[in-house]
Amino acid sequence: MAVKIEKIVETFYEALEEGKILGRKCPECGAVEFPPVYACNSCGCLHTEWYEISGKAKMHSIVMPAALSSKPEYKALGKYAYGEVELEEGSRLNAVVRGINKKKRKELLEQDKLPVDCHASIYQRDGYKTVVFDLDE
Ligand SMILES: [Zn+2]
């Protein structure tokens, strides 16, 4: 099993280098898992397949990073928060969403704008790429 997990991580990061964001789609029930895992969380099917996600998503909740706990590597992200993000394909995950500061959060909450549209972006970190989200605007 450990080997399988290494392989899935490798394929995921290789695809990011090519500008593709991959999840796993279940051939049995159609559920898409992101971040990719082998087994379908909806029906338990073990034969999920690679699937390029559209990147369209909605942000359902916003949690500001605590000033003291924010890691230096996140400084380069600029304004960001954590949030529960739901992909168009249906999976939900906790993710970093850029473009949100305290003022923006207040505005979104006060104007009852959640869930707000966002989209996945590939972000270059030190030596590797990862997936973050940006608000649609
Ligand atoms: Zn399934």
Side-chain angles (χ1 to χ4, degrees), residues 26-31 40-45 48:
C26 174
E28 297 291 324
C29 73
C40 171
N41 281 326
S42 301
C43 73
C45 171
T48 57

Side-chain angles (χ1 to χ4, degrees), residues 68-89:
L68 289 173
S69 69
S70 53
K71 302 172 199 159
E73 63 186 280
Y74 280 100
K75 281 241 168 79
L77 283 167
K79 295 178 285 185
Y80 76 95
Y82 299 104
E84 193 190 7
V85 168
E86 181 184 15
L87 297 180
E88 180 180 55
E89 291 85 0

Side-chain angles (χ1 to χ4, degrees), residues 115-129:
V116 64
D117 289 343
C118 60
H119 56 273
S121 303
I122 296 172
Y123 175 69
Q124 179 70 52
R125 276 235 185 113
D126 248 3
Y128 67 101
K129 290 184 167 67

Side-chain angles (χ1 to χ4, degrees), residues 11-61:
T11 306
F12 177 71
Y13 284 106
E14 277 171 9
L16 287 183
E17 292 297 328
E18 293 165 15
K20 289 184 205 159
I21 303 175
L22 299 181
R24 301 280 298 183
K25 186 167 187 169
C26 174
E28 297 291 324
C29 73
V32 173
E33 299 293 340
F34 184 86
V37 290
Y38 264 106
C40 171
N41 281 326
S42 301
C43 73
C45 171
L46 294 171
H47 307 286
T48 57
E49 293 160 350
W50 287 112
Y51 180 79
E52 187 176 353
I53 63 164
S54 73
K56 284 187 199 155
K58 284 184 190 299
M59 184 186 202
H60 286 267
S61 62

